[in-house]
Amino acid sequence: MTTSFVPGRFSPLSALRFPEYHLLWFGNLLGSLGNWIQQFALGWLIVEISIRERTPALAAFYSGLVGLAPA
């Protein structure tokens, strides 16, 4: 049994027509964006604190320690 290809039937974004998938996709997108922003802010905070404590050379070490800790 073979299926024939119908032009326009399948497209990469056709699944977004369904409201549930639409909400799932955009919810995951916003969640990922929030995680990226949090990681950036945490790195920035580590650098700022290490500069304030006059140990900027240890910023990479502190960042590595935070990366090892589970979120």
Side-chain angles (χ1 to χ4, degrees):
M1 180 175 173
T2 61
T3 58
S4 61
F5 178 73
V6 178
R9 183 173 174 198
F10 298 108
S11 75
L13 299 178
S14 65
L16 289 176
R17 288 182 294 153
F18 298 99
E20 294 85 6
Y21 187 74
H22 189 261
L23 288 174
L24 176 70
W25 196 83
F26 283 111
N28 283 335
L29 179 69
L30 288 176
S32 294
L33 182 63
N35 285 336
W36 296 336
I37 291 172
Q38 182 179 9
Q39 289 298 320
F40 179 80
L42 187 58
W44 188 315
L45 179 65
I46 290 169
V47 170
E48 289 291 324
I49 289 175
S50 66
I51 290 173
R52 184 182 309 152
E53 297 295 323
R54 292 182 171 74
T55 57
L58 291 177
F61 175 71
Y62 295 149
S63 181
L65 286 180
V66 170
L68 286 175

